[in-house]
Amino acid sequence: MLQNSTCNKLCEVKIPGEDAKFINDRILEDQAINWLVDGLPASELKQDPKSGEFFYDMGFNLGNDDDKYAEKPILHNHYDVMLKYHVTSGGSYRVVGVLVWPYSIVTPPTGPTCDTSRENPVYLAEDKVNDVTWTYSVTWSESETPWASLATRWDNYLHIFDPKIHWFSLINSIVIVVFLCAMVSMILVRTVNRDISRYNAMDLTEEIQEDYGWKLVHGEVFRRPAFPMLLAVMTGNGAQLAAMVAVTLVFALLGFLSPSNRGSLATVMIICYTFFGGISGYVSSRVYSSLGGTDKRKNAFLTATLFPTCIFGFVFLLNMFLVFAGSSGAVPFGTMLTIVFLWYGISAPLTAIGSWYGTRHG
C-alpha cells in the first residue's frame, strides 16, 4: 500500500501462431480488459469531445487497431496503473479510483525497460511462436474524493455524454402521453354526453328500451371470466412482482444498492420476491373468492408453483446451454439449489398462509 513501483515484470508467455490470430481478431473487435480493485473497475481517462469533461471509461483495450494499426494491430503488454486513494478520519486508506494507461513495448533481450516514449510496438505474427513479456508500473495518488460518498466516488464512472438527449426524450414522452390522454378523454366525454342526451330525450310513456352505448359496460365488468383460476393466479403473482419492484426501488433510492457491491440488486430482488409470497397468496385467494371459486386449495397450490416453476424451468434450460458452452456466466448448480430451497422452503409456505388469510377475510 502506497508504495510506487516501476517496470515490474509480470510474466513471459510464448504465444503460438493460432493463438496470435485469435488475439488479433479480438483486438480488431475492440475487445476490452476489465479489472476490479476494491470493487472499482479499472478505467481509461478520456475526455468528452462535447463538454470537455474528463471521465473514466470502464475497461481498457486489449490492443490498438486505430489509424496506422488498422490492418496489423498491436498488443498492449505494459500497463501504467494509477491508484487514487482517500485517507479517512480513522487513518485508514480507501481506493476511490483506478486508472490504467496501456502501452505496447517490445522487450529487448537485456530485459524490460518500459520506455513508453519510444515507439516500438508488439506485433503478433500468425505464422510463428511469439515471445511476449508483460510488465506494469504502479503509482499511488491521494484524492479528496471520500470513499463513503457514493455520489462523488462514482461520478467519474457514471458519465452521461449528452444530457440534453435525456431531457428531450423525457419532454417528448410527456407531450405524447398528455396528448393521448386528452384525446381519449375528449372522445369519452362526447360519447357519454351524447348517450345521456338520448336517454333524457326518451318519452317516459313509451316502452322501456334496452340499454345501449356506454351503459352496456356494466354487463361486461361483472361478467364471470372464462378462466377465473388462471386470472386469480396471474393477479396474485403480479401483486407479488409489483411489491418486489417497489421495495427494490426504495432500497436503490436510499443508496443501499451500491454499484460497488456486485450482484446486490439481483440478491435484493430474489429475497424480496421470496418473502412477498404471502402477498400473492392473499391477493389470489381474494380475487378467486370474489369470482365465485370454490377450489381454494388448488388456487393456493397453483399460485405458489405455476409461474415460478415455468420461469425456473426456462432459466435452468438457458443455464444448461451456458454450461455446455463453457461460459463463465453460467450459474453454479449449488446456487440453483439454493434458489429452489428459498422458493419451496420459504415462499411456498408464505403463499399458503396468505391464501388461508385471504380466504378467511374474502
Side-chain angles (χ1 to χ4, degrees):
M1 189 74 177
L2 304 183
Q3 294 182 358
N4 297 334
S5 60
T6 59
C7 203
N8 300 295
K9 183 178 179 181
L10 183 61
C11 63
E12 293 182 1
V13 179
K14 294 184 179 294
I15 303 177
E18 182 179 354
D19 293 343
K21 183 180 185 307
F22 176 81
I23 295 175
N24 287 334
D25 291 339
R26 302 292 79 76
I27 296 175
L28 293 174
E29 294 175 357
D30 294 330
Q31 183 163 333
I33 300 175
N34 294 281
W35 292 350
L36 285 177
V37 179
D38 198 15
L40 291 174
S43 309
E44 286 188 276
L45 184 63
K46 295 186 178 181
Q47 186 177 17
D48 192 334
K50 294 184 178 180
S51 62
E53 297 180 356
F54 288 94
F55 65 97
Y56 294 173
D57 186 18
M58 289 184 282
F60 49 93
N61 290 332
L62 175 63
N64 189 358
D65 62 338
D66 297 336
D67 300 332
K68 58 183 179 180
Y69 306 120
E71 296 184 359
K72 193 176 181 180
I74 60 176
L75 174 67
H76 291 152
N77 65 326
H78 174 76
Y79 306 106
D80 284 345
V81 184
M82 176 181 287
L83 298 175
K84 293 181 176 292
Y85 67 94
H86 177 74
V87 183
T88 62
S89 57
S92 59
Y93 301 96
R94 294 289 190 177
V95 177
V96 295
V98 184
L99 291 175
V100 177
W101 288 270
Y103 297 95
S104 181
I105 305 173
V106 172
T107 303
T110 57
T113 60
C114 304
D115 187 3
T116 59
S117 60
R118 299 178 57 186
E119 186 175 356
N120 191 15
V122 176
Y123 296 95
L124 294 181
E126 300 180 1
D127 55 353
K128 65 176 183 180
V129 178
N130 303 268
D131 294 326
V132 180
T133 301
W134 267 270
T135 56
Y136 68 95
S137 300
V138 178
T139 304
W140 293 86
S141 175
E142 187 173 358
S143 174
E144 297 297 330
T145 302
W147 182 87
S149 178
L150 175 65
T152 55
R153 183 162 51 105
W154 281 88
D155 278 349
N156 291 324
Y157 291 93
L158 307 177
H159 178 74
I160 299 177
F161 286 94
D162 194 355
K164 296 180 181 179
I165 297 178
H166 295 268
W167 282 110
F168 175 78
S169 301
L170 181 61
I171 295 174
N172 186 41
S173 301
I174 293 175
V175 170
I176 292 176
V177 170
V178 171
F179 174 75
L180 292 177
C181 292
M183 184 175 61
V184 172
S185 301
M186 183 178 61
I187 295 174
L188 288 177
V189 169
R190 292 185 60 184
T191 303
V192 172
N193 287 335
R194 185 172 60 249
D195 290 342
I196 292 176
S197 299
R198 293 175 61 184
Y199 277 109
N200 293 334
M202 291 177 55
D203 189 359
L204 298 178
T205 59
E206 297 180 359
E207 296 181 358
I208 299 177
Q209 299 181 2
E210 296 183 359
D211 293 336
Y212 58 87
W214 63 275
K215 273 198 167 186
L216 294 176
V217 176
H218 79 278
E220 299 294 331
V221 170
F222 297 102
R223 179 173 57 86
R224 177 183 172 88
F227 303 99
M229 179 70 75
L230 182 60
L231 177 61
V233 171
M234 294 178 65
T235 305
N237 283 271
Q240 182 181 8
L241 182 64
M244 179 268 293
V245 171
V247 173
T248 304
L249 289 177
V250 170
F251 276 106
L253 291 174
L254 294 177
F256 292 106
L257 304 181
S258 171
S260 60
N261 299 327
R262 298 173 62 85
S264 59
L265 177 62
T267 302
V268 170
M269 291 175 64
I270 292 176
I271 293 177
C272 290
Y273 194 72
T274 300
F275 282 94
F276 287 156
I279 297 178
S280 66
Y282 177 80
V283 174
S284 179
S285 63
R286 289 293 299 267
V287 173
Y288 187 64
S289 299
S290 65
L291 296 176
T294 56
D295 198 347
K296 307 297 179 59
R297 294 183 179 180
K298 183 179 180 180
N299 172 256
F301 176 78
L302 291 178
T303 303
T305 59
L306 180 60
F307 284 96
T309 302
C310 294
I311 295 174
F312 180 81
F314 180 71
V315 173
F316 182 79
L317 181 63
L318 292 180
N319 190 66
M320 291 301 296
F321 282 108
L322 294 177
V323 171
F324 288 131
S327 173
S328 59
V331 180
F333 184 72
T335 304
M336 301 291 284
L337 290 180
T338 303
I339 295 176
V340 172
F341 170 75
L342 286 175
W343 189 256
Y344 291 101
I346 299 177
S347 181
L350 289 176
T351 304
I353 294 174
S355 179
W356 172 81
Y357 189 80
T359 303
R360 288 285 298 268
H361 297 78

